[in-house]
Coordinates of all heavy atoms in Angstrom, one line a residue:
M18 N -39.3 22.0 36.6 CA -38.7 20.7 36.7 C -39.8 19.7 36.8 O -40.9 19.9 37.4 CB -37.9 20.7 38.1 CG -37.1 19.4 38.3 SD -36.0 19.5 39.6 CE -37.0 19.3 41.0
L19 N -39.6 18.6 36.1 CA -40.5 17.5 36.1 C -40.3 16.7 37.3 O -39.2 16.1 37.5 CB -40.3 16.7 34.8 CG -40.4 17.4 33.5 CD1 -40.2 16.5 32.3 CD2 -41.8 18.0 33.4
E20 N -41.3 16.7 38.3 CA -41.1 16.1 39.6 C -40.8 14.7 39.6 O -40.1 14.1 40.4 CB -42.2 16.5 40.5 CG -42.5 17.9 40.7 CD -41.4 18.5 41.6 OE1 -40.8 17.8 42.4 OE2 -41.0 19.7 41.3
T21 N -41.4 13.9 38.7 CA -41.3 12.4 38.7 C -40.1 11.9 37.9 O -39.8 10.7 38.1 CB -42.6 11.8 38.2 OG1 -42.8 12.3 36.9 CG2 -43.8 12.1 39.0
T22 N -39.4 12.8 37.3 CA -38.2 12.3 36.6 C -37.1 13.3 36.9 O -37.2 14.2 37.7 CB -38.4 12.4 35.0 OG1 -38.7 13.8 34.7 CG2 -39.6 11.6 34.6
K23 N -35.9 12.9 36.5 CA -34.7 13.7 36.8 C -34.3 14.5 35.5 O -33.3 14.5 35.0 CB -33.5 12.8 37.1 CG -33.8 12.0 38.4 CD -32.7 11.2 38.8 CE -32.9 10.4 40.0 NZ -31.8 9.6 40.4
V24 N -35.4 15.4 35.1 CA -35.2 16.1 33.9 C -35.6 17.6 34.3 O -36.6 17.9 34.9 CB -36.2 15.6 32.8 CG1 -36.1 16.6 31.5 CG2 -35.8 14.2 32.4
V25 N -34.8 18.5 33.8 CA -35.0 19.9 34.0 C -35.2 20.5 32.6 O -34.3 20.3 31.7 CB -33.9 20.7 34.7 CG1 -34.1 22.1 34.7 CG2 -33.7 20.1 36.1
V26 N -36.3 21.2 32.4 CA -36.5 22.0 31.1 C -36.3 23.4 31.3 O -37.0 24.0 32.2 CB -38.0 21.6 30.7 CG1 -38.3 22.4 29.3 CG2 -38.2 20.2 30.6
V27 N -35.4 24.0 30.5 CA -35.2 25.4 30.6 C -35.7 26.1 29.3 O -35.4 25.7 28.3 CB -33.6 25.6 30.8 CG1 -33.3 27.1 30.9 CG2 -33.2 24.9 32.0
N28 N -36.4 27.2 29.6 CA -36.8 28.0 28.4 C -35.7 28.6 27.7 O -35.0 29.5 28.3 CB -37.8 29.1 29.0 CG -38.5 29.8 27.9 OD1 -38.0 29.8 26.7 ND2 -39.5 30.6 28.2
K29 N -35.5 28.3 26.5 CA -34.4 28.8 25.7 C -34.5 30.3 25.3 O -33.6 30.9 25.0 CB -34.2 28.0 24.4 CG -35.2 28.2 23.3 CD -34.9 27.4 22.1 CE -35.9 27.7 21.0 NZ -35.5 26.9 19.8
F30 N -35.7 30.9 25.6 CA -35.9 32.2 25.3 C -35.7 33.1 26.5 O -35.7 34.4 26.4 CB -37.4 32.5 24.8 CG -37.6 31.7 23.4 CD1 -38.5 30.7 23.4 CD2 -37.0 32.1 22.3 CE1 -38.8 30.0 22.3 CE2 -37.2 31.4 21.1 CZ -38.1 30.4 21.1
S31 N -35.5 32.5 27.6 CA -35.1 33.3 28.9 C -33.7 33.8 28.7 O -32.8 33.2 28.0 CB -35.2 32.5 30.1 OG -36.6 32.0 30.3
N32 N -33.4 34.9 29.4 CA -32.0 35.4 29.3 C -31.2 34.5 30.2 O -31.6 33.8 31.1 CB -31.9 37.0 29.7 CG -32.3 37.2 31.1 OD1 -31.9 36.4 32.0 ND2 -32.9 38.3 31.4
L33 N -29.9 34.7 30.0 CA -28.9 33.7 30.8 C -28.9 33.9 32.2 O -28.9 32.9 33.0 CB -27.5 34.1 30.2 CG -26.4 33.2 30.8 CD1 -26.6 31.8 30.5 CD2 -25.0 33.7 30.3
E34 N -29.2 35.1 32.7 CA -29.3 35.3 34.2 C -30.5 34.5 34.8 O -30.3 33.9 35.9 CB -29.4 36.7 34.5 CG -29.4 37.0 36.0 CD -29.4 38.5 36.3 OE1 -29.2 39.3 35.4 OE2 -29.8 38.8 37.5
I35 N -31.6 34.5 34.1 CA -32.7 33.8 34.6 C -32.5 32.3 34.6 O -32.9 31.6 35.5 CB -34.0 34.3 33.8 CG1 -34.4 35.6 34.1 CG2 -35.1 33.3 34.1 CD1 -35.5 36.2 33.3
K36 N -31.9 31.8 33.5 CA -31.5 30.4 33.4 C -30.7 30.0 34.5 O -30.9 28.9 35.1 CB -30.9 30.1 32.0 CG -31.8 30.2 30.8 CD -31.0 29.9 29.6 CE -31.8 30.3 28.3 NZ -30.9 30.1 27.1
I37 N -29.6 30.7 34.7 CA -28.7 30.3 35.9 C -29.4 30.3 37.2 O -29.3 29.4 38.0 CB -27.5 31.3 35.8 CG1 -26.7 31.0 34.6 CG2 -26.6 31.1 37.1 CD1 -25.6 32.0 34.3
Q38 N -30.1 31.4 37.5 CA -30.9 31.5 38.8 C -31.9 30.3 38.9 O -32.0 29.8 40.0 CB -31.6 32.8 38.9 CG -32.2 33.1 40.2 CD -31.1 33.1 41.3 OE1 -30.0 33.8 41.2 NE2 -31.4 32.5 42.4
S39 N -32.5 30.0 37.9 CA -33.5 28.9 37.9 C -32.8 27.6 38.2 O -33.2 26.8 39.2 CB -34.3 28.7 36.7 OG -35.1 30.0 36.4
L40 N -31.7 27.3 37.6 CA -31.0 26.1 37.9 C -30.3 26.1 39.3 O -30.3 25.0 39.9 CB -29.9 25.9 36.8 CG -30.4 25.6 35.4 CD1 -29.3 25.6 34.4 CD2 -31.2 24.3 35.4
W41 N -29.9 27.2 39.7 CA -29.3 27.3 41.1 C -30.4 27.0 42.1 O -30.1 26.3 43.1 CB -28.8 28.8 41.3 CG -28.0 28.9 42.5 CD1 -28.5 29.2 43.7 CD2 -26.5 29.0 42.5 NE1 -27.4 29.3 44.6 CE2 -26.2 29.2 43.9 CE3 -25.5 28.8 41.7 CZ2 -24.9 29.3 44.3 CZ3 -24.2 28.8 42.1 CH2 -23.9 29.1 43.4
N42 N -31.6 27.5 41.9 CA -32.7 27.3 42.9 C -33.1 25.8 42.9 O -33.4 25.3 43.9 CB -33.9 28.2 42.5 CG -33.6 29.6 42.9 OD1 -32.8 29.9 43.8 ND2 -34.3 30.5 42.2
I43 N -33.0 25.2 41.7 CA -33.3 23.8 41.6 C -32.3 22.9 42.4 O -32.7 22.0 43.1 CB -33.5 23.3 40.2 CG1 -34.7 23.8 39.5 CG2 -33.5 21.8 40.2 CD1 -34.8 23.7 38.0
L44 N -31.1 23.3 42.3 CA -30.0 22.7 43.0 C -30.1 22.8 44.5 O -29.8 21.9 45.3 CB -28.6 23.1 42.6 CG -28.2 22.6 41.2 CD1 -26.8 23.4 40.9 CD2 -27.9 21.1 41.2
L45 N -30.8 23.9 44.9 CA -31.0 24.1 46.4 C -32.1 23.2 46.8 O -32.1 22.9 48.1 CB -31.3 25.6 46.7 CG -30.1 26.6 46.5 CD1 -30.7 28.0 46.6 CD2 -29.0 26.3 47.5
D46 N -33.0 22.9 46.0 CA -34.2 22.2 46.4 C -34.1 20.7 46.4 O -34.9 20.0 47.1 CB -35.4 22.6 45.5 CG -35.9 24.0 45.8 OD1 -35.6 24.6 46.8 OD2 -36.6 24.6 44.9
I47 N -33.2 20.2 45.6 CA -33.1 18.7 45.4 C -31.9 18.2 46.2 O -30.9 18.9 46.5 CB -33.0 18.3 44.0 CG1 -31.8 18.8 43.3 CG2 -34.3 18.7 43.2 CD1 -31.5 18.4 41.9
E48 N -32.0 16.9 46.5 CA -30.9 16.2 47.3 C -30.0 15.5 46.2 O -30.5 14.8 45.3 CB -31.4 15.1 48.2 CG -32.2 15.8 49.4 CD -31.3 16.5 50.3 OE1 -30.1 16.0 50.5 OE2 -31.7 17.5 50.9
I49 N -28.7 15.7 46.2 CA -27.8 15.1 45.3 C -26.7 14.5 46.1 O -26.1 15.0 47.0 CB -27.2 16.2 44.3 CG1 -28.3 16.8 43.5 CG2 -26.1 15.5 43.4 CD1 -27.8 17.9 42.7
D50 N -26.4 13.2 45.7 CA -25.3 12.5 46.4 C -24.0 13.1 45.9 O -23.7 13.0 44.6 CB -25.4 11.1 46.0 CG -24.3 10.3 46.7 OD1 -23.5 10.8 47.5 OD2 -24.2 9.0 46.4
S51 N -23.2 13.7 46.6 CA -22.0 14.5 46.1 C -20.9 13.5 45.6 O -20.1 13.9 44.8 CB -21.4 15.2 47.3 OG -21.1 14.5 48.4
E52 N -21.1 12.2 45.9 CA -20.1 11.3 45.3 C -20.4 11.0 43.9 O -19.6 10.5 43.1 CB -20.2 9.9 46.1 CG -19.6 10.1 47.5 CD -19.7 8.8 48.2 OE1 -20.0 7.8 47.7 OE2 -19.4 8.8 49.5
T53 N -21.6 11.3 43.4 CA -22.0 11.1 42.0 C -21.6 12.3 41.0 O -21.7 12.2 39.9 CB -23.5 10.8 41.8 OG1 -24.1 12.0 42.3 CG2 -23.9 9.6 42.6
I54 N -21.2 13.4 41.7 CA -20.8 14.6 41.0 C -19.3 14.5 40.5 O -18.4 14.1 41.3 CB -20.9 15.9 41.8 CG1 -22.5 15.9 42.1 CG2 -20.6 17.1 41.0 CD1 -22.8 17.1 43.1
S55 N -19.0 14.9 39.4 CA -17.6 14.9 38.8 C -16.7 15.8 39.7 O -17.3 16.8 40.2 CB -17.5 15.2 37.3 OG -17.8 16.5 37.2
E56 N -15.5 15.5 39.7 CA -14.6 16.3 40.5 C -14.5 17.8 39.9 O -14.3 18.7 40.7 CB -13.1 15.7 40.4 CG -13.0 14.4 41.2 CD -11.5 13.9 41.2 OE1 -10.6 14.7 41.0 OE2 -11.3 12.8 41.3
K57 N -14.8 17.9 38.7 CA -14.8 19.2 38.0 C -15.9 20.1 38.5 O -15.8 21.3 38.6 CB -14.8 19.0 36.5 CG -14.7 20.3 35.7 CD -14.6 20.0 34.2 CE -14.4 21.2 33.3 NZ -14.4 20.9 31.9
L58 N -17.1 19.4 38.7 CA -18.3 20.2 39.1 C -18.5 20.2 40.6 O -19.4 21.0 41.1 CB -19.5 19.5 38.4 CG -19.6 19.6 36.9 CD1 -20.8 18.9 36.4 CD2 -19.6 21.1 36.5
L59 N -17.7 19.5 41.3 CA -17.9 19.5 42.8 C -17.7 20.9 43.4 O -18.5 21.2 44.3 CB -17.0 18.4 43.4 CG -17.3 18.1 44.9 CD1 -18.7 17.6 45.1 CD2 -16.3 17.0 45.4
P60 N -16.7 21.6 43.1 CA -16.6 22.9 43.7 C -17.8 23.8 43.5 O -18.3 24.6 44.4 CB -15.4 23.6 43.1 CG -14.5 22.4 42.5 CD -15.6 21.4 42.2
L61 N -18.4 23.8 42.3 CA -19.6 24.6 42.0 C -20.8 24.1 42.9 O -21.5 24.9 43.5 CB -20.0 24.5 40.5 CG -21.3 25.1 40.2 CD1 -21.2 26.6 40.4 CD2 -21.7 24.9 38.7
Y62 N -20.9 22.8 43.1 CA -22.0 22.3 43.9 C -21.8 22.6 45.3 O -22.8 23.0 46.0 CB -22.2 20.7 43.6 CG -23.3 20.1 44.5 CD1 -24.5 20.6 44.3 CD2 -23.0 19.3 45.5 CE1 -25.7 20.0 44.9 CE2 -24.2 18.8 46.3 CZ -25.4 19.2 46.0 OH -26.5 18.7 46.7
E63 N -20.6 22.6 45.8 CA -20.2 23.1 47.1 C -20.6 24.5 47.4 O -21.0 24.9 48.4 CB -18.8 22.8 47.5 CG -18.5 21.3 47.7 CD -17.1 20.9 47.8 OE1 -16.2 21.8 47.6 OE2 -16.8 19.8 48.1
E64 N -20.4 25.3 46.4 CA -20.7 26.8 46.5 C -22.3 26.9 46.5 O -22.8 27.7 47.3 CB -20.2 27.5 45.2 CG -20.4 29.0 45.2 CD -19.5 29.6 46.2 OE1 -18.4 29.1 46.5 OE2 -19.9 30.7 46.7
V65 N -23.1 26.1 45.9 CA -24.5 26.1 46.0 C -24.9 25.8 47.4 O -25.8 26.4 47.9 CB -25.1 25.1 44.9 CG1 -26.6 25.0 45.2 CG2 -24.9 25.6 43.5
L66 N -24.3 24.7 48.0 CA -24.6 24.3 49.3 C -24.3 25.4 50.3 O -25.1 25.6 51.3 CB -23.9 23.0 49.6 CG -24.4 21.7 48.8 CD1 -23.6 20.5 49.2 CD2 -25.8 21.5 49.0
K67 N -23.2 26.0 50.1 CA -22.8 27.1 51.0 C -23.9 28.3 51.0 O -24.2 28.8 52.0 CB -21.4 27.8 50.7 CG -20.3 26.9 51.0 CD -19.0 27.6 50.6 CE -17.8 26.6 50.8 NZ -16.6 27.3 50.2
S68 N -24.4 28.5 49.9 CA -25.4 29.6 49.7 C -26.7 29.2 50.4 O -27.4 30.0 50.9 CB -25.7 30.0 48.3 OG -26.4 29.0 47.6
K69 N -26.9 27.9 50.5 CA -28.2 27.4 51.1 C -28.0 27.6 52.6 O -29.0 27.9 53.3 CB -28.3 25.9 50.8 CG -29.6 25.3 51.3 CD -29.6 23.8 50.9 CE -31.0 23.2 51.3 NZ -31.2 21.9 50.8
T70 N -26.9 27.4 53.2 CA -26.7 27.6 54.6 C -26.7 29.0 55.1 O -27.1 29.4 56.1 CB -25.5 26.8 55.1 OG1 -24.3 27.4 54.5 CG2 -25.4 25.4 54.9
V71 N -26.3 29.9 54.1 CA -26.2 31.3 54.4 C -27.7 31.9 54.4 O -28.0 32.8 55.2 CB -25.3 32.1 53.4 CG1 -25.4 33.6 53.6 CG2 -23.9 31.6 53.7
A72 N -28.4 31.5 53.5 CA -29.8 32.0 53.3 C -30.7 31.7 54.4 O -30.7 31.3 55.3 CB -30.4 31.5 52.0

């Protein structure tokens, strides 16, 4: 993740599981205003947040 910008670069040669896990971990590390997330993606983001409190 490029720290000074809001850009994530994912290696296209990585397998799908690694890509998903990497993005999941990034979501755990950054602060996101839940009001800016679309209604369609909000349940997924809430699932990420739940995993953060469990870990």
Side-chain angles (χ1 to χ4, degrees):
M18 185 166 77
L19 303 175
E20 295 294 330
T21 58
T22 63
K23 295 180 181 181
V24 175
V25 175
V26 179
V27 178
N28 184 346
K29 71 178 184 178
F30 299 111
S31 295
N32 68 36
L33 183 60
E34 184 178 345
I35 291 173
K36 290 177 189 178
I37 292 171
Q38 187 63 44
S39 297
L40 293 172
W41 191 277
N42 288 334
I43 289 169
L44 286 174
L45 289 173
D46 288 341
I47 62 174
E48 295 288 326
I49 298 176
D50 182 7
S51 59
E52 292 181 8
T53 61
I54 299 174
S55 70
E56 289 182 27
K57 186 176 181 179
L58 293 176
L59 192 56
L61 176 63
Y62 183 63
E63 289 173 348
E64 186 71 26
V65 171
L66 293 178
K67 284 180 190 175
S68 75
K69 185 177 185 176
T70 58
V71 172

